Amino acid sequence: MEIGQRRRWLCSFTDYPDFSEIASFLPMNRRDFLALAASASAGLPSLSWPDDTTIPIIDTHIHLFDTTRAQGVPWPTPKDEILYQPALPDRYRRIAVPLGIVGAIVVEASPWLEDNQWVLDVAARDKIIVGTVGNLEPGKPGFRQQLERFHRNPLFRGIRYGNLWDRDLSRQLSNPKVVSDLKFFAQTGLVLDTANPNPVLLAAIVRVTEQVPELRVIIDHLPQMTTPVEAAVRKDYETHLQELGKRPQVYVKISEVLRRVDGKIPQALSFYRGRLDELFGIFGEDRLLYGSDWPNSDQWLPVEAGLNLVSEYFNAKGRTVAEKYFWKNSAAAYHWLKRDPSQPG
């Protein structure tokens, strides 16, 4: 989509075929939503370059689930008025494609074993999905057999493990079976996503990359982590972050960038620049990845709000850096599967 077309799309959400759906799950009224769209359009950073080309975007973090399934879903819960509705590729495509997103990686949203297969089956039917990150537990009986089963599918690019679903990577690293399984996992060439970041998890990632140095690790949602206030914890946090920055096998998703402050969500880059500068300074241009966290991102603002912010930040660093952030680094981290001519390779 040309930049002029994109501006017109952003300025006319009422004509967008999915407007009623978008408006229905946002925590704002229609007037506020239209005002947001207009302001986003007015401040939209250019995605085109002097040669009149655009940078394709690979979104490394979306979730899929179907709340209408007979068995239901473990997340989100019916009490969640924003998220509790089907999140499937066709709905994502209608939001993502007009923004220049040509491919996405699905990250698990369920601890149920067979939901690994459910996601793979759903992904197979839509070529916008270029990879999936599943949910398996190293150290549990059957882990290696389950891994081999799902890894037969080339869309299966890794697993997520951290402090989610009542699990604790830090504690589990003292279990020799867990470490042995992670070493086995690393030999497959797949990647370990970690969630959700806090000082304890960062310390655990330092340990796991020492114990299994050949393992590629992706830290999800690091911008959303609150910097510790207590002096000793903050010092450890800074030490661990700097140490991880020295390890080329560790990548970071610049996802969940937006924050809610006193009930409001700042949209100016100036509010977030310090945090982005910190992470860019530590991890550099080769290990940062774009992720929308859709549909979880709807708890803050529509996808384009977060995308506009990071576009402004990374485009200012030049095309080479922007291309790395928006797709090249994700190819190095995930080795995702190109499924459509619109996707870079």
Side-chain angles (χ1 to χ4, degrees), residues 58-63 107 160 193-197 218-225 251-259 272 275-276 279 287-294 296-297 300 306-307 309-310 314 325 334:
I58 298 295
D59 185 346
T60 64
H61 204 103
I62 72 169
H63 302 293
V107 178
R160 184 161 71 151
D193 272 50
T194 65
N196 287 306
I218 299 177
I219 305 173
D220 295 347
H221 311 324
L222 193 51
Q224 188 66 204
M225 178 182 167
Y251 295 80
V252 168
K253 287 183 186 175
I254 302 298
S255 52
E256 286 197 14
V257 175
L258 297 175
R259 306 293 292 268
Y272 303 95
R275 181 63 162 158
L276 295 175
L279 296 178
R287 291 188 285 142
L288 301 180
L289 317 174
Y290 169 70
S292 71
D293 196 26
W294 181 87
N296 198 40
S297 54
W300 287 273
L307 178 56
L309 192 146
V310 295
F314 283 95
Y325 171 66
Y334 280 109

Side-chain angles (χ1 to χ4, degrees), residues 91-341:
R91 179 180 152 207
Y92 174 74
R93 177 183 284 277
R94 292 195 298 270
I95 295 169
V97 171
L99 300 176
I101 297 172
V102 298
I105 293 173
V106 181
V107 178
E108 62 86 14
S110 167
W112 299 346
L113 175 63
E114 289 307 317
D115 275 357
N116 289 283
Q117 188 61 53
W118 180 85
V119 170
L120 288 169
D121 292 343
V122 170
R125 296 192 287 269
D126 196 316
K127 292 181 180 180
I128 199 170
I129 306 302
V130 297
T132 73
V133 175
N135 191 320
L136 299 174
E137 272 195 272
K140 294 292 185 182
F143 170 79
R144 300 190 184 196
Q145 292 77 13
Q146 294 160 2
L147 179 63
E148 289 173 348
R149 169 193 170 188
F150 296 118
H151 188 205
R152 294 188 191 107
N153 189 317
L155 285 173
F156 193 83
R157 305 315 310 150
I159 62 172
R160 184 161 71 151
Y161 193 89
N163 53 20
L164 195 64
W165 308 119
D166 296 322
R167 297 170 189 170
D168 185 344
L169 177 62
S170 178
R171 180 168 48 83
Q172 288 300 317
L173 287 176
S174 60
N175 183 340
K177 182 66 169 66
V178 170
V179 176
S180 176
D181 277 352
L182 286 174
K183 290 180 178 179
F184 176 85
F185 175 77
Q187 296 307 310
T188 66
L190 299 177
V191 69
L192 177 71
D193 272 50
T194 65
N196 287 306
N198 60 26
V200 175
L201 183 59
L202 290 184
I205 297 170
V206 171
R207 289 174 58 199
V208 77
T209 51
E210 289 172 347
Q211 293 173 277
V212 193
E214 64 273 26
L215 178 65
R216 289 197 314 284
V217 177
I218 299 177
I219 305 173
D220 295 347
H221 311 324
L222 193 51
Q224 188 66 204
M225 178 182 167
T226 301
T227 302
V229 175
E230 200 274 316
V233 179
R234 184 185 180 103
K235 182 179 179 180
D236 287 343
Y237 153 80
E238 292 172 346
T239 298
H240 293 144
L241 207 57
Q242 291 291 336
E243 185 59 41
L244 292 171
K246 300 174 185 177
R247 304 185 180 192
Q249 74 274 39
V250 178
Y251 295 80
V252 168
K253 287 183 186 175
I254 302 298
S255 52
E256 286 197 14
V257 175
L258 297 175
R259 306 293 292 268
R260 183 173 281 104
V261 182
D262 297 328
K264 298 180 180 180
I265 301 171
Q267 295 182 62
L269 175 59
S270 58
F271 181 83
Y272 303 95
R273 187 182 295 278
R275 181 63 162 158
L276 295 175
D277 284 346
E278 177 190 30
L279 296 178
F280 190 88
I282 293 172
F283 292 94
E285 64 187 62
D286 294 318
R287 291 188 285 142
L288 301 180
L289 317 174
Y290 169 70
S292 71
D293 196 26
W294 181 87
N296 198 40
S297 54
D298 294 337
Q299 297 182 88
W300 287 273
L301 290 173
V303 169
E304 66 271 8
L307 178 56
N308 289 345
L309 192 146
V310 295
S311 293
E312 182 180 353
Y313 182 81
F314 283 95
N315 287 348
K317 296 183 179 298
R319 182 174 185 130
T320 297
V321 173
E323 282 187 316
K324 288 180 179 181
Y325 171 66
F326 281 116
W327 77 267
K328 287 187 176 181
N329 292 347
S330 70
Y334 280 109
H335 303 169
W336 46 260
L337 184 67
K338 179 176 178 176
R339 303 180 66 198
D340 186 87

Side-chain angles (χ1 to χ4, degrees), residues 39-50:
S39 64
S41 175
L44 183 66
S46 175
L47 297 181
S48 61
W49 297 84

Side-chain angles (χ1 to χ4, degrees), residues 26-69:
L26 287 173
M28 61 180 76
N29 59 37
R30 183 178 184 275
R31 182 184 63 187
D32 291 340
F33 185 69
L34 287 171
L36 167 65
S39 64
S41 175
L44 183 66
S46 175
L47 297 181
S48 61
W49 297 84
D51 60 359
D52 201 31
T53 60
T54 57
I55 295 175
I57 301 170
I58 298 295
D59 185 346
T60 64
H61 204 103
I62 72 169
H63 302 293
L64 297 181
F65 47 82
D66 186 356
T67 53
T68 67
R69 293 192 310 177

